[in-house]
Amino acid sequence: MMNPWKYFEMIKIFVTGGTFDKDYDEKNGRLYFKKTHMNEILALGRSKVEVGIETLMMLDSLDMKEKDRQLILKKCAAANEEQIVITHGTDTMTNTAKVLGAKRLKKTIVITGAMIPYKFGTSDGLFNIASALAYVQTMPHGVYIAMNGRVFLHNKVIKNRETGIFEEIK
């Protein structure tokens, strides 16, 4: 039975990198990782949700290997929290979602990301993290992807490479 008061529980946020946390080097015009912007993002959104933030890695998801996905799985399984949000690069978040979904953990896990880096000032990341925090508090146990105000089951979603939009697999 779902706990009707579960939204009062702490939410774990695991940071893995992705476009969300990229910075822009004005000298050479490249994107790079320095540190997560999650605390700044939550402060900007005036979030009152109790969270614990842990950076697992700072990777472009195209560089993510199976060992990285296994680390994410291990951390989710070991977390005391039942509600987990993972920031992730959009290119391979569906792969990570499938690894997590296959384990059927008794937790609600929502993976989200951004198409535009937070530091660009026009990022969809703020909206996506807010949506993910709302979904993780209201969805039943399972693994989901939250992008652009929509939430998808881990095994019923694909990123349309032409449009850059996540779509439900029928």
Side-chain angles (χ1 to χ4, degrees):
M1 174 158 184
M2 193 159 79
N3 177 358
W5 303 108
K6 82 178 209 173
Y7 49 85
F8 289 117
E9 296 174 12
M10 182 185 291
I11 298 169
K12 186 68 167 188
I13 299 177
F14 287 126
V15 173
T16 68
T19 299
F20 219 109
D21 275 318
K22 287 186 176 178
D23 277 288
Y24 181 68
D25 184 337
E26 294 178 9
K27 292 180 184 175
N28 64 25
R30 293 195 181 123
L31 295 173
Y32 71 100
F33 292 108
K34 189 161 122 182
K35 63 182 177 79
T36 185
H37 306 300
M38 189 52 56
N39 286 312
E40 184 180 339
I41 290 167
L42 295 174
L44 181 65
R46 300 181 65 195
S47 176
K48 302 301 179 214
V49 178
E50 188 177 353
V51 299
I53 301 168
E54 183 177 343
T55 301
L56 301 183
M57 60 199 72
M58 296 294 274
L59 288 175
D60 185 300
S61 72
L62 291 173
D63 297 327
M64 194 173 279
K65 307 286 188 239
E66 187 58 29
K67 69 177 178 61
D68 301 312
R69 287 187 178 81
Q70 290 303 313
L71 173 63
I72 296 167
L73 173 61
K74 178 181 170 186
K75 288 294 204 166
C76 287
N80 292 325
E81 298 84 359
E82 279 189 35
Q83 302 167 354
I84 299 170
V85 171
I86 301 170
T87 63
H88 198 291
T90 62
D91 286 314
T92 67
M93 67 171 46
T94 57
N95 299 357
T96 301
K98 286 175 184 160
V99 167
L100 294 170
K103 290 301 179 183
R104 299 182 184 271
L105 300 174
K106 297 286 186 214
K107 299 177 186 245
T108 304
I109 301 171
V110 179
I111 305 172
T112 194
M115 301 300 283
I116 301 167
Y118 163 72
K119 282 299 186 178
F120 280 25
T122 58
S123 178
D124 54 328
L126 287 108
F127 183 71
N128 291 337
I129 192 67
S131 296
L133 288 169
Y135 288 129
V136 80
Q137 294 176 79
T138 57
M139 300 296 288
H141 287 164
V143 178
Y144 306 91
I145 289 181
M147 290 292 294
N148 310 110
R150 298 185 67 201
V151 65
F152 306 91
L153 282 170
H154 72 277
N155 58 349
K156 299 285 186 188
V157 62
I158 190 165
K159 180 181 177 183
N160 182 324
R161 302 271 178 217
E162 290 180 23
T163 64
I165 303 291
F166 283 78
E167 299 171 349
E168 184 176 13
I169 298 171
K170 305 282 185 204

